[in-house]
Amino acid sequence: MRKNIVAGNWKMNKTLQEGIALAKEVNELLAGEQPACDVIICTPFIHLASVVPLVDPTKIGVGAENCADKESGAYTGEVSAAMVASTGAKYVILGHSERRAYYHETVDMLTEKVKLALANGLTPIFCVGEVLQEREAGKQNEVVATQLASVLALSPADFSKVILAYEPVWAIGTGKTATPQQAQEMHAFIRGVIAGYYDEDVADNCSILYGGSCKPSNARELFANPDVDGGLIGGAALKAADFKGIIDAFK
Ligand code: PGA
């Protein structure tokens, strides 16, 4: 079934000690209540093994921000999906636009990463989104449909384990949020692509998160859209109170 989800993406922020402190703070803020959505925090690799035992697993899932496109072996500096899973993490962000742009991750590499994540029991949070130029040229649907190829290659059973995140690149870290209407339009388009490839049921059951300058002040309006099932949160996930404010948008 489709779930409402708020997921934090810490990116390359926080030392281990700072990350531990932030995870504890988020955990404490949620201690007295049951959040009205699933909550996930995605941290740098080195934080995972420390953060997992600190949070209440009935309320907060932990994830990585990436994993390797190879199973194991001589790939200096890489971290495999099996290694991520061995920390107790349950999720992994894949295909983030920063990885696509700065580390040249291609559809083919991401197809491998998705497969390895699933094979190791991790839930991929798979990101898609267009850059400003593409939106201005009216090509956003085409771009997103192409990016979706990495997950549409999956069997329906595997696809049902994937969480999608639409993150217009022009809205990430810029303070420029997509309007609720722009988010809804793209989410409905994505759901339509999934329905066309699989069927209506599979499309209906897929959680599609919005990401890009989401904050407590705009989360409620964004999440109110019928096809927006929550958010992938960058900057605002680095402050426990702001992250909690976004989680509370589902109350
Ligand atoms: P932002 O980042 O909330 O800081 O815009 C979102 C993301 O890149 O996941």
Side-chain angles (χ1 to χ4, degrees), residues 64-106:
E65 301 170 14
N66 179 31
C67 72
D69 62 342
K70 304 286 193 302
E71 211 169 313
S72 66
Y75 302 101
T76 303
E78 288 295 284
V79 175
S80 71
M83 292 172 187
V84 170
S86 74
T87 67
K90 302 279 186 234
Y91 300 86
V92 59
I93 297 173
L94 293 175
H96 192 280
S97 61
E98 288 149 17
R99 304 269 347 149
R100 292 180 194 263
Y102 308 146
Y103 303 98
H104 314 293
E105 294 193 355
T106 61

Short mmCIF file of all heavy atoms in Angstrom, two decimals, residues 64-106:
data_model
loop_
_atom_site.label_atom_id
_atom_site.label_comp_id
_atom_site.label_asym_id
_atom_site.label_seq_id
_atom_site.Cartn_x
_atom_site.Cartn_y
_atom_site.Cartn_z
N ALA A 64 21.15 4.95 3.59
CA ALA A 64 22.36 5.55 3.02
C ALA A 64 21.95 6.51 1.90
O ALA A 64 20.78 6.56 1.52
CB ALA A 64 23.28 4.46 2.50
N GLU A 65 22.93 7.23 1.39
CA GLU A 65 22.66 8.22 0.34
C GLU A 65 23.09 7.73 -1.03
O GLU A 65 22.94 8.43 -2.03
CB GLU A 65 23.37 9.53 0.67
CG GLU A 65 22.95 10.12 2.01
CD GLU A 65 23.83 11.28 2.42
OE1 GLU A 65 24.59 11.80 1.58
OE2 GLU A 65 23.76 11.67 3.60
N ASN A 66 23.67 6.53 -1.05
CA ASN A 66 24.23 5.99 -2.29
C ASN A 66 24.71 4.58 -1.98
O ASN A 66 24.83 4.20 -0.82
CB ASN A 66 25.41 6.87 -2.71
CG ASN A 66 26.09 6.40 -3.98
OD1 ASN A 66 25.47 5.83 -4.88
ND2 ASN A 66 27.39 6.62 -4.07
N CYS A 67 24.97 3.79 -3.01
CA CYS A 67 25.74 2.56 -2.84
C CYS A 67 26.42 2.26 -4.17
O CYS A 67 26.10 2.90 -5.18
CB CYS A 67 24.87 1.39 -2.36
SG CYS A 67 23.74 0.74 -3.60
N ALA A 68 27.31 1.30 -4.16
CA ALA A 68 28.09 1.00 -5.36
C ALA A 68 27.24 0.27 -6.41
O ALA A 68 26.22 -0.34 -6.08
CB ALA A 68 29.29 0.13 -4.99
N ASP A 69 27.69 0.33 -7.64
CA ASP A 69 27.02 -0.41 -8.72
C ASP A 69 27.70 -1.76 -8.96
O ASP A 69 27.43 -2.43 -9.95
CB ASP A 69 26.97 0.41 -10.01
CG ASP A 69 28.34 0.74 -10.56
OD1 ASP A 69 29.34 0.64 -9.80
OD2 ASP A 69 28.44 1.09 -11.74
N LYS A 70 28.58 -2.14 -8.04
CA LYS A 70 29.25 -3.45 -8.12
C LYS A 70 29.02 -4.17 -6.80
O LYS A 70 28.86 -3.55 -5.75
CB LYS A 70 30.76 -3.26 -8.31
CG LYS A 70 31.15 -2.43 -9.52
CD LYS A 70 30.96 -3.20 -10.81
CE LYS A 70 31.64 -2.51 -11.99
NZ LYS A 70 31.17 -1.15 -12.22
N GLU A 71 29.07 -5.50 -6.87
CA GLU A 71 28.76 -6.29 -5.69
C GLU A 71 29.85 -6.20 -4.62
O GLU A 71 29.57 -5.98 -3.44
CB GLU A 71 28.57 -7.73 -6.13
CG GLU A 71 27.60 -8.49 -5.28
CD GLU A 71 27.23 -9.82 -5.93
OE1 GLU A 71 26.93 -9.87 -7.14
OE2 GLU A 71 27.29 -10.82 -5.20
N SER A 72 31.10 -6.42 -5.04
CA SER A 72 32.23 -6.37 -4.10
C SER A 72 33.51 -6.40 -4.93
O SER A 72 33.46 -6.61 -6.14
CB SER A 72 32.21 -7.58 -3.15
OG SER A 72 32.44 -8.76 -3.90
N GLY A 73 34.64 -6.21 -4.26
CA GLY A 73 35.91 -6.39 -4.97
C GLY A 73 36.76 -5.14 -5.00
O GLY A 73 36.67 -4.27 -4.13
N ALA A 74 37.61 -5.06 -6.02
CA ALA A 74 38.65 -4.02 -6.08
C ALA A 74 38.08 -2.72 -6.62
O ALA A 74 38.30 -2.36 -7.79
CB ALA A 74 39.80 -4.53 -6.94
N TYR A 75 37.29 -2.04 -5.80
CA TYR A 75 36.69 -0.75 -6.18
C TYR A 75 36.96 0.22 -5.03
O TYR A 75 36.07 0.54 -4.23
CB TYR A 75 35.19 -0.91 -6.44
CG TYR A 75 34.92 -1.92 -7.53
CD1 TYR A 75 34.50 -3.21 -7.22
CD2 TYR A 75 35.14 -1.59 -8.87
CE1 TYR A 75 34.30 -4.15 -8.22
CE2 TYR A 75 34.94 -2.52 -9.87
CZ TYR A 75 34.52 -3.80 -9.54
OH TYR A 75 34.33 -4.73 -10.53
N THR A 76 38.21 0.64 -4.94
CA THR A 76 38.67 1.45 -3.81
C THR A 76 37.74 2.62 -3.53
O THR A 76 37.41 3.39 -4.44
CB THR A 76 40.10 1.96 -4.11
OG1 THR A 76 40.93 0.84 -4.34
CG2 THR A 76 40.65 2.76 -2.94
N GLY A 77 37.33 2.73 -2.28
CA GLY A 77 36.52 3.86 -1.85
C GLY A 77 35.03 3.66 -2.00
O GLY A 77 34.25 4.49 -1.53
N GLU A 78 34.61 2.59 -2.65
CA GLU A 78 33.18 2.35 -2.83
C GLU A 78 32.59 1.61 -1.62
O GLU A 78 33.31 0.95 -0.86
CB GLU A 78 32.94 1.53 -4.10
CG GLU A 78 33.17 2.31 -5.38
CD GLU A 78 32.17 3.44 -5.54
OE1 GLU A 78 31.02 3.16 -5.90
OE2 GLU A 78 32.53 4.60 -5.30
N VAL A 79 31.28 1.71 -1.47
CA VAL A 79 30.57 1.03 -0.39
C VAL A 79 29.42 0.25 -1.02
O VAL A 79 28.58 0.82 -1.72
CB VAL A 79 30.03 2.06 0.64
CG1 VAL A 79 29.18 1.37 1.70
CG2 VAL A 79 31.19 2.82 1.30
N SER A 80 29.40 -1.06 -0.77
CA SER A 80 28.41 -1.90 -1.44
C SER A 80 27.06 -1.88 -0.73
O SER A 80 26.97 -1.52 0.45
CB SER A 80 28.91 -3.35 -1.49
OG SER A 80 28.88 -3.90 -0.20
N ALA A 81 26.04 -2.32 -1.45
CA ALA A 81 24.70 -2.44 -0.86
C ALA A 81 24.73 -3.41 0.32
O ALA A 81 24.08 -3.18 1.34
CB ALA A 81 23.70 -2.90 -1.91
N ALA A 82 25.50 -4.50 0.20
CA ALA A 82 25.58 -5.47 1.30
C ALA A 82 26.19 -4.82 2.55
O ALA A 82 25.76 -5.09 3.68
CB ALA A 82 26.42 -6.68 0.87
N MET A 83 27.19 -3.96 2.35
CA MET A 83 27.80 -3.27 3.49
C MET A 83 26.79 -2.34 4.16
O MET A 83 26.70 -2.26 5.39
CB MET A 83 29.01 -2.46 3.03
CG MET A 83 30.17 -3.30 2.58
SD MET A 83 31.42 -2.20 1.86
CE MET A 83 32.56 -3.40 1.21
N VAL A 84 26.04 -1.61 3.33
CA VAL A 84 25.01 -0.72 3.88
C VAL A 84 24.02 -1.53 4.70
O VAL A 84 23.72 -1.20 5.85
CB VAL A 84 24.28 0.06 2.74
CG1 VAL A 84 23.06 0.79 3.29
CG2 VAL A 84 25.23 1.04 2.07
N ALA A 85 23.54 -2.64 4.13
CA ALA A 85 22.54 -3.46 4.83
C ALA A 85 23.12 -4.03 6.12
O ALA A 85 22.40 -4.18 7.11
CB ALA A 85 22.07 -4.59 3.91
N SER A 86 24.41 -4.32 6.14
CA SER A 86 25.01 -4.92 7.33
C SER A 86 25.06 -3.97 8.53
O SER A 86 25.28 -4.39 9.66
CB SER A 86 26.43 -5.44 7.01
OG SER A 86 27.34 -4.36 6.88
N THR A 87 24.83 -2.67 8.29
CA THR A 87 24.79 -1.72 9.41
C THR A 87 23.41 -1.70 10.07
O THR A 87 23.23 -1.06 11.10
CB THR A 87 25.07 -0.27 8.93
OG1 THR A 87 23.97 0.15 8.09
CG2 THR A 87 26.37 -0.16 8.17
N GLY A 88 22.44 -2.35 9.42
CA GLY A 88 21.06 -2.28 9.93
C GLY A 88 20.24 -1.23 9.18
O GLY A 88 19.04 -1.08 9.44
N ALA A 89 20.88 -0.51 8.26
CA ALA A 89 20.13 0.46 7.44
C ALA A 89 19.16 -0.29 6.55
O ALA A 89 19.42 -1.43 6.14
CB ALA A 89 21.10 1.28 6.58
N LYS A 90 18.03 0.33 6.27
CA LYS A 90 16.98 -0.33 5.48
C LYS A 90 16.73 0.35 4.13
O LYS A 90 16.00 -0.18 3.31
CB LYS A 90 15.65 -0.31 6.26
CG LYS A 90 15.73 -0.97 7.63
CD LYS A 90 15.63 -2.49 7.52
CE LYS A 90 15.57 -3.16 8.89
NZ LYS A 90 16.60 -4.19 9.03
N TYR A 91 17.28 1.53 3.94
CA TYR A 91 16.97 2.32 2.74
C TYR A 91 18.26 2.80 2.08
O TYR A 91 19.31 2.85 2.71
CB TYR A 91 16.14 3.56 3.11
CG TYR A 91 14.82 3.23 3.77
CD1 TYR A 91 14.73 3.03 5.14
CD2 TYR A 91 13.67 3.11 3.00
CE1 TYR A 91 13.52 2.72 5.75
CE2 TYR A 91 12.44 2.81 3.59
CZ TYR A 91 12.38 2.61 4.97
OH TYR A 91 11.18 2.30 5.57
N VAL A 92 18.14 3.17 0.81
CA VAL A 92 19.26 3.83 0.14
C VAL A 92 18.72 4.77 -0.93
O VAL A 92 17.87 4.38 -1.74
CB VAL A 92 20.27 2.79 -0.44
CG1 VAL A 92 19.63 1.84 -1.45
CG2 VAL A 92 21.46 3.51 -1.08
N ILE A 93 19.18 6.02 -0.87
CA ILE A 93 18.83 6.98 -1.92
C ILE A 93 19.66 6.63 -3.15
O ILE A 93 20.88 6.44 -3.04
CB ILE A 93 19.14 8.43 -1.48
CG1 ILE A 93 18.29 8.83 -0.26
CG2 ILE A 93 18.91 9.41 -2.63
CD1 ILE A 93 18.68 10.19 0.33
N LEU A 94 19.03 6.53 -4.29
CA LEU A 94 19.77 6.26 -5.54
C LEU A 94 19.32 7.24 -6.61
O LEU A 94 18.15 7.63 -6.68
CB LEU A 94 19.52 4.82 -6.00
CG LEU A 94 20.10 3.72 -5.09
CD1 LEU A 94 19.68 2.33 -5.58
CD2 LEU A 94 21.63 3.81 -5.02
N GLY A 95 20.27 7.65 -7.43
CA GLY A 95 19.94 8.52 -8.56
C GLY A 95 19.70 9.96 -8.18
O GLY A 95 19.08 10.71 -8.93
N HIS A 96 20.19 10.37 -7.01
CA HIS A 96 20.03 11.79 -6.65
C HIS A 96 20.69 12.64 -7.74
O HIS A 96 21.73 12.27 -8.29
CB HIS A 96 20.67 12.08 -5.29
CG HIS A 96 20.29 13.42 -4.77
ND1 HIS A 96 20.91 14.58 -5.22
CD2 HIS A 96 19.34 13.82 -3.89
CE1 HIS A 96 20.33 15.61 -4.61
NE2 HIS A 96 19.39 15.18 -3.81
N SER A 97 20.08 13.79 -8.02
CA SER A 97 20.60 14.63 -9.13
C SER A 97 22.04 15.05 -8.90
O SER A 97 22.79 15.24 -9.85
CB SER A 97 19.71 15.86 -9.31
OG SER A 97 19.73 16.64 -8.14
N GLU A 98 22.45 15.18 -7.63
CA GLU A 98 23.86 15.55 -7.37
C GLU A 98 24.78 14.41 -7.79
O GLU A 98 25.89 14.64 -8.29
CB GLU A 98 24.03 15.92 -5.89
CG GLU A 98 23.39 17.28 -5.60
CD GLU A 98 22.84 17.45 -4.19
OE1 GLU A 98 23.20 16.68 -3.29
OE2 GLU A 98 22.02 18.38 -4.01
N ARG A 99 24.34 13.18 -7.60
CA ARG A 99 25.14 12.02 -8.04
C ARG A 99 25.14 11.93 -9.57
O ARG A 99 26.15 11.61 -10.18
CB ARG A 99 24.60 10.71 -7.46
CG ARG A 99 24.50 10.67 -5.96
CD ARG A 99 25.69 10.16 -5.20
NE ARG A 99 26.70 9.49 -5.93
CZ ARG A 99 28.00 9.51 -5.58
NH1 ARG A 99 28.40 10.20 -4.52
NH2 ARG A 99 28.89 8.85 -6.25
N ARG A 100 23.99 12.20 -10.16
CA ARG A 100 23.93 12.15 -11.64
C ARG A 100 24.82 13.23 -12.24
O ARG A 100 25.56 12.99 -13.19
CB ARG A 100 22.49 12.37 -12.13
CG ARG A 100 21.51 11.24 -11.79
CD ARG A 100 20.12 11.59 -12.33
NE ARG A 100 19.06 10.75 -11.80
CZ ARG A 100 18.56 9.67 -12.42
NH1 ARG A 100 19.04 9.29 -13.57
NH2 ARG A 100 17.58 9.00 -11.87
N ALA A 101 24.78 14.45 -11.66
CA ALA A 101 25.50 15.57 -12.26
C ALA A 101 26.99 15.56 -11.94
O ALA A 101 27.82 15.73 -12.82
CB ALA A 101 24.88 16.89 -11.79
N TYR A 102 27.35 15.35 -10.66
CA TYR A 102 28.76 15.51 -10.27
C TYR A 102 29.56 14.21 -10.40
O TYR A 102 30.77 14.24 -10.48
CB TYR A 102 28.89 16.01 -8.82
CG TYR A 102 28.09 17.26 -8.52
CD1 TYR A 102 27.53 17.45 -7.25
CD2 TYR A 102 27.92 18.26 -9.47
CE1 TYR A 102 26.80 18.59 -6.96
CE2 TYR A 102 27.19 19.40 -9.19
CZ TYR A 102 26.63 19.56 -7.93
OH TYR A 102 25.90 20.68 -7.64
N TYR A 103 28.87 13.07 -10.34
CA TYR A 103 29.60 11.80 -10.36
C TYR A 103 29.20 10.95 -11.58
O TYR A 103 29.52 9.78 -11.64
CB TYR A 103 29.39 11.04 -9.03
CG TYR A 103 29.84 11.91 -7.88
CD1 TYR A 103 28.94 12.66 -7.14
CD2 TYR A 103 31.21 12.08 -7.60
CE1 TYR A 103 29.35 13.53 -6.14
CE2 TYR A 103 31.63 12.95 -6.61
CZ TYR A 103 30.70 13.67 -5.88
OH TYR A 103 31.12 14.54 -4.90
N HIS A 104 28.51 11.65 -12.50
CA HIS A 104 28.22 11.06 -13.82
C HIS A 104 27.53 9.71 -13.74
O HIS A 104 27.88 8.79 -14.47
CB HIS A 104 29.51 10.99 -14.66
CG HIS A 104 30.28 12.27 -14.60
ND1 HIS A 104 29.80 13.44 -15.15
CD2 HIS A 104 31.45 12.59 -13.99
CE1 HIS A 104 30.66 14.42 -14.90
NE2 HIS A 104 31.66 13.94 -14.19
N GLU A 105 26.59 9.57 -12.85
CA GLU A 105 25.85 8.31 -12.76
C GLU A 105 24.83 8.24 -13.90
O GLU A 105 24.05 9.16 -14.10
CB GLU A 105 25.16 8.21 -11.38
CG GLU A 105 26.18 8.11 -10.27
CD GLU A 105 25.59 7.69 -8.93
OE1 GLU A 105 24.36 7.54 -8.82
OE2 GLU A 105 26.38 7.50 -8.00
N THR A 106 24.88 7.16 -14.61
CA THR A 106 24.04 6.99 -15.79
C THR A 106 22.85 6.08 -15.47
O THR A 106 22.82 5.41 -14.43
CB THR A 106 24.84 6.33 -16.92
OG1 THR A 106 25.25 5.03 -16.46
CG2 THR A 106 26.07 7.14 -17.30
#
